[in-house]
Amino acid sequence: MAVDLESPSNYLTTRLRQAVNWGRKYSLWPLPFGVACCAIEFMSTVSSYNDISRFGAELVRFSPRQSDMMIIAGTISYKQAPILKTIYEQMAEPKWVIAMGACASSGGFYNNYSTLQGADHVIPVDVYVAGCPPTPENLLFALTQIQEKVEKEGLVPAAERHPGRIEA
Amino acid sequence: MSQKLVDKLQQEFGADILAVSSQHGDETITVDKDKLLVVLNHLRDHEGCEQLSDVVGVHYPDRDQEFEVNYLLRSWQNNVRLRVRVHTTEGEAIDSATGIYKSADWAEREVYDLFGVDFADHPDLRRILCHHEFEGHPLRKDYPIEQGQECSRPEHLFNDEDIARAARRASGIKPEVGGAHDEVHPSDLLTVNLGPSHPATHGALRVECLLDGENILEAKSEIGYIHRCFEKEAEDHTWAQVMPYTDRLNYCSAMANNAIYALAVEKMCGVEATPRANAIRVIVSELSRIIDHLVCVCANLVDVGALTNYWYLYNTRESIYQSLEGLCGSRLTTNYARIGGMSHDLYDGFADEIRTKLDEMVVGNNEVMKLIARNRIFLDRTVGVGAISQEDALSWGFTGPCLRATGLAHDLRKSAPYFGYEQYEFEIPTGTDGDSHDRIMVRMAEMVQSRAIILQALDNLPDGPLNIEDHSVIIPPKEKVYNTIEGAMNQFKLVYEGIQVPAGEGYGFGEGANGELGFFCVSDGTGHAYRIKVRPPCFPIFSAFTTLVQGRMIPDAIATLGSLNIIAGELDR
């Protein structure tokens, strides 16, 4: 970006892609795929004390069509996995995914007959958040990580960022 | 009391009662499985056992009759509990108790799903926790814990026949009752999924609704989306290692789960926590009750369109979280209690901090009451919605605020005091109509009572040791572990081999935030549990959900679901 200070009416010059990404990064609309304990910490993150709207991501949308950042908050079971996949596929490009907490990242301490050992067995994940559950600060940090990604690679669809992971 | 009941039953049924046993104050009668329904009927009709708390299966592969099925009965009016036990084996069905107790429906389905025990004449014997493509029965001892099975697609709950039947039934409905058409074709009906990813289900639940316009003709609920195999994990870990898993049952009130689990295992070991540990357990259990009720009420109010209240209520919750974090280092998954005591004592300044926070809670709650108590929209959305009668609530296995909302003052803290609850003065708030409005109001009133209990406990906090002296149960203090060989060995054995809980079985229970939370434990005398069955309060409550919403509108279903406070973690375990 450059500011032309010589001109009487100040204006900015930038590339379209940069401008779009800059806007997009401060208006991520999260889809909370809240299934377990982590969803409660997601509620804390949204509530007034931690206030996710400071980062421009307060517009929680449960409709996959309207959201561009999925937060997998909780344990994904084998029973849940096809539903997670369907909902992810319903989201429009470009889209990002946060695996919040140990269960969504790796199955956590549930290594058993019902628990999927990490959501990335089903859909591609962009940022993993440690913790069981992660504190709201951890989740906010993950959000800033996504913002960095958005700034760098915003217009690239998820299918290109994760080759071989998403069926066209 | 229970002993008297057993004597009476022996007179009544004689040789049909095969065995009688008593352990840790719990009475068990074993009956022939052909006589089960007769005995249950008699208990319900003549002995006042109005509630079937749970049905618990246990697998003993070495026995001829390899499955044991326990029916946990409760009589609130006589304050008596009794277990009725039957034995069976593969291929021999037990008569279903669904005709006697409504709560038997899902409870028996669970035993069928996890053990493969067949129930004759059960109306809908399907899997409940595992997915529909699952093969085998995971809680059998020969099923390996890590053997996962993938699921290719979700199950459709309604088939064409169901839809046609619903359409025929809807054709008879007169317009003024809700149905708008004279004749309804199956193609007029719409199948809508509420969940498993839905803003108002607050967790992974699924209710498939068959809609005629906005009216729910029929609904079927499906659970198990967050089945994390607590019970199988419990068999795979030592008794003490199960504690962190209890955090994640009802993750809104983890402290109470910890304390009640510790209570159950202490009962099995025959030890009792110190007065100081008990007082701390009371404090943290009541704090849990408060934050659980707060999250239930605020989410329920958001569902009916009252978003402002979320901020008022959630701030209190957030500030209490910070105190809990000070106590145990974690906000949500606390892992604070230990079998035989607590992991840490209270920190300096805890009492004053909590007193201030509880005062702030009262301010926040009063603000909310001002916003909702006479709010027309709120009243229209909740009064008379999702109402249940006392009799039905008992039969469905309701406990806790949802039962008290119907007008029954049943509270385990009064009727079977534990942690020294008998020392505290508090009232049991009740409702009158058992509808969503009463459930919310009972919770609001209970928070005030919980505050009273906490203040009394903080004022009269006993001095003295935090943990019991018996180091076969709790690890010795760190000075002993680091400085003496006996202490080091003691810790080593407890960590590696686990607490050697005496063989036997026991049911430890308490009043969780949402009702009776119980742990049915079976020990074979080793460091690992042979079987732990959780009796989660919201499992029976959610089983009644579809009957509460059928014939009503979709928005009513949302308001009802929120007020029942279904926590998926303990629902599916």
Side-chain angles (χ1 to χ4, degrees):
Chain A
M1 250 186 267
V3 183
D4 185 354
L5 296 173
E6 300 299 312
S7 164
S9 56
N10 291 347
Y11 58 91
L12 296 168
T13 55
T14 179
R15 274 171 293 181
L16 176 66
R17 179 178 160 150
Q18 259 182 330
V20 169
N21 285 352
W22 178 81
R24 181 170 270 148
K25 105 180 192 192
Y26 292 118
S27 62
L28 287 164
W29 288 19
L31 171 116
F33 196 80
V35 278
C37 336
C38 286
I40 304 292
E41 281 300 61
F42 176 78
M43 283 171 76
S44 289
T45 316
V46 177
S47 74
S48 39
Y49 184 82
N50 292 294
D51 196 8
I52 201 171
S53 61
R54 292 178 294 156
F55 302 85
E58 79 278 18
L59 215 55
V60 174
R61 279 291 173 269
F62 284 85
S63 166
R65 304 282 188 211
Q66 299 173 343
S67 49
D68 49 9
M69 178 176 67
M70 179 186 258
I71 299 177
I72 307 171
T75 318
I76 303 298
S77 64
Y78 287 113
K79 195 172 188 173
Q80 183 81 279
I83 291 151
L84 173 68
K85 193 166 194 295
T86 310
I87 289 178
Y88 176 76
E89 283 166 358
Q90 286 174 349
M91 288 170 68
E93 292 278 9
K95 53 190 172 184
W96 294 271
V97 177
I98 295 178
M100 178 181 181
C103 291
S105 302
S106 68
F109 74 168
Y110 294 102
N111 184 7
N112 55 37
Y113 62 84
S114 176
T115 310
L116 189 69
Q117 299 301 298
D120 53 7
H121 285 268
V122 186
I123 60 169
V125 171
D126 289 286
V127 174
Y128 299 84
V129 193
C132 188
T135 58
E137 293 88 337
N138 278 349
L139 183 61
L140 291 174
F141 179 64
L143 174 61
T144 59
Q145 299 267 330
I146 292 280
Q147 288 179 337
E148 273 177 34
K149 275 184 179 255
V150 173
E151 195 164 20
K152 285 186 197 134
E153 52 191 40
L155 294 177
V156 185
E160 279 178 39
R161 280 183 287 127
H162 305 281
R165 291 303 310 274
I166 302 172
E167 292 156 28
Chain B
M1 280 299 274
S2 321
Q3 185 57 49
K4 237 169 37 193
L5 176 60
V6 171
D7 293 345
K8 267 164 83 180
L9 287 173
Q10 274 180 316
Q11 280 173 14
E12 178 79 28
F13 291 101
D16 289 337
I17 294 178
L18 306 175
V20 174
S21 66
S22 170
Q23 200 171 25
H24 305 301
D26 300 341
E27 312 289 335
T28 307
I29 59 168
T30 308
V31 300
D32 190 275
K33 70 172 179 298
D34 299 331
K35 295 286 179 216
L36 173 71
L37 294 193
V38 183
V39 173
L40 290 182
N41 239 327
H42 176 83
L43 281 165
R44 187 194 62 178
D45 294 341
H46 303 290
E47 302 298 341
C49 292
E50 64 279 81
Q51 197 162 52
L52 173 69
S53 290
D54 207 356
V55 180
V56 183
V58 189
H59 184 209
Y60 295 98
D62 300 336
R63 293 186 184 170
D64 287 342
Q65 299 271 299
E66 58 182 324
F67 300 108
E68 184 185 287
V69 181
N70 298 284
Y71 292 76
L72 277 55
L73 302 180
R74 178 181 296 284
S75 163
W76 289 99
Q77 43 180 310
N78 302 331
N79 199 10
V80 171
R81 285 175 302 120
L82 181 72
R83 280 205 287 275
V84 179
R85 172 174 300 164
V86 291
H87 294 282
T88 186
T89 186
E90 182 105 51
E92 285 183 24
I94 299 175
D95 292 330
S96 167
T98 39
I100 304 170
Y101 296 106
K102 290 175 175 166
S103 57
D105 186 346
W106 278 24
E108 288 178 347
R109 272 177 69 188
E110 188 186 317
V111 177
Y112 163 75
D113 182 7
L114 302 179
F115 290 94
V117 174
D118 200 12
F119 291 90
D121 301 326
H122 189 287
D124 187 25
L125 199 62
R126 289 181 294 129
R127 287 193 180 275
I128 184 162
L129 294 178
C130 299
H131 56 78
H132 62 292
E133 294 168 358
F134 198 91
E135 284 173 10
H137 301 283
L139 276 192
R140 288 191 182 181
K141 290 288 172 187
D142 53 6
Y143 193 94
I145 181 169
E146 288 168 19
Q147 190 180 312
Q149 299 187 25
E150 283 183 18
C151 175
S152 63
R153 57 174 183 84
E155 186 184 10
H156 287 291
L157 302 181
F158 288 111
N159 55 30
D160 292 344
E161 205 177 299
D162 294 328
I163 297 172
R165 195 188 54 231
R168 275 198 304 278
R169 236 191 19 232
S171 303
I173 298 176
K174 294 196 176 65
E176 61 269 25
V177 188
H181 326 283
D182 289 321
E183 193 173 346
V184 180
H185 292 285
S187 59
D188 296 336
L189 302 184
L190 189 65
T191 320
V192 167
N193 271 309
L194 203 67
S197 174
H198 186 277
T201 56
H202 309 296
L205 322 163
R206 176 176 168 212
V207 183
E208 196 167 320
C209 302
L210 210 51
L211 301 182
D212 175 18
E214 235 182 316
N215 296 311
I216 302 173
L217 293 180
E218 227 174 285
K220 275 189 183 179
S221 38
E222 197 196 16
I223 64 170
Y225 286 100
I226 173 179
H227 177 47
R228 298 190 280 197
C229 326
F230 172 89
E231 289 162 13
K232 192 79 173 175
E233 293 280 3
E235 292 169 17
D236 202 49
H237 289 75
T238 64
W239 290 92
Q241 283 174 336
V242 175
M243 189 65 77
Y245 286 94
T246 64
D247 291 336
R248 291 152 181 85
L249 291 172
N250 181 346
Y251 33 75
C252 292
S253 53
M255 289 276 192
N257 303 347
N258 293 165
I260 293 171
Y261 174 69
L263 178 79
V265 184
E266 283 160 11
K267 185 175 175 182
M268 297 281 292
C269 295
V271 296
E272 216 168 282
T274 62
R276 186 172 176 84
N278 271 339
I280 294 176
R281 285 178 185 182
V282 166
I283 294 169
V284 295
S285 296
E286 294 308 315
L287 282 174
S288 302
R289 194 180 317 281
I290 289 173
I291 58 176
D292 192 283
H293 286 356
L294 283 172
V295 80
C296 168
V297 173
C298 78
N300 200 181
L301 291 174
V302 170
D303 292 343
V304 297
L307 182 68
T308 322
N309 304 285
Y310 179 77
W311 316 120
Y312 282 121
L313 295 174
Y314 213 91
N315 280 354
T316 314
R317 192 179 151 85
E318 193 64 37
S319 77
I320 292 177
Y321 264 155
Q322 287 162 5
S323 297
L324 297 186
E325 197 175 7
L327 277 180
C328 64
S330 179
R331 289 155 52 88
L332 210 71
T333 43
T334 52
N335 191 18
Y336 184 44
R338 291 289 178 271
I339 298 158
M342 306 300 280
S343 69
H344 303 80
D345 209 328
L346 304 178
Y347 57 85
D348 292 341
F350 176 81
D352 289 335
E353 196 179 299
I354 289 295
R355 284 191 190 99
T356 320
K357 288 180 177 179
L358 290 178
D359 290 344
E360 286 167 11
M361 175 196 88
V362 173
V363 175
N365 285 13
N366 287 345
E367 295 282 341
V368 168
M369 285 306 283
K370 276 188 218 160
L371 283 169
I372 62 170
R374 296 175 59 205
N375 183 316
R376 178 70 190 271
I377 301 173
F378 171 72
L379 296 176
D380 283 353
R381 288 295 305 271
T382 56
V383 173
V385 170
I388 188 165
S389 69
Q390 292 183 352
E391 198 187 330
D392 277 350
L394 285 169
S395 184
W396 277 112
F398 276 42
T399 47
C402 295
L403 179 63
R404 293 192 280 272
T406 65
L408 293 167
H410 293 328
D411 192 320
L412 294 169
R413 292 172 294 173
K414 289 274 192 201
S415 65
Y418 53 99
F419 300 157
Y421 266 111
E422 63 277 11
Q423 305 159 26
Y424 304 100
E425 274 179 36
F426 63 100
E427 286 164 17
I428 307 175
T430 54
T432 47
D433 304 329
D435 56 5
S436 297
H437 176 265
D438 283 8
R439 288 192 277 266
I440 293 174
M441 290 305 151
V442 163
R443 288 199 173 88
M444 293 300 280
E446 276 188 14
M447 284 190 253
V448 178
Q449 298 302 322
S450 291
R451 173 175 178 266
I453 297 173
I454 296 170
L455 294 180
Q456 292 170 48
L458 288 173
D459 291 341
N460 307 308
L461 198 64
D463 289 326
L466 181 65
N467 295 336
I468 58 169
E469 291 293 317
D470 185 348
H471 292 306
S472 66
V473 173
I474 193 157
I475 51 174
K478 283 285 174 278
E479 320 66 275
K480 274 193 187 161
V481 176
Y482 294 142
N483 299 322
T484 66
I485 185 74
E486 294 81 13
M489 280 171 62
N490 193 338
Q491 155 128 358
F492 181 84
K493 281 182 82 70
L494 271 184
V495 170
Y496 274 79
E497 292 173 3
I499 302 163
Q500 305 295 305
V501 174
E505 55 187 45
Y507 181 63
F509 59 95
E511 184 76 24
N514 207 20
E516 176 183 339
L517 173 68
F519 292 90
F520 180 91
C521 307
V522 182
S523 171
D524 54 358
T526 64
H528 292 62
Y530 189 77
R531 169 105 170 95
I532 296 180
K533 167 75 173 79
V534 190
R535 190 271 178 204
C538 65
F539 184 80
I541 292 175
F542 190 55
S543 69
F545 175 70
T546 49
T547 61
L548 299 183
V549 300
Q550 262 159 197
R552 303 203 63 113
M553 295 172 87
I554 277 277
D556 294 341
I558 303 291
T560 307
L561 184 59
S563 68
L564 293 175
N565 194 15
I566 307 301
I567 306 290
E570 68 171 11
L571 179 71
D572 298 344
R573 284 151 284 149

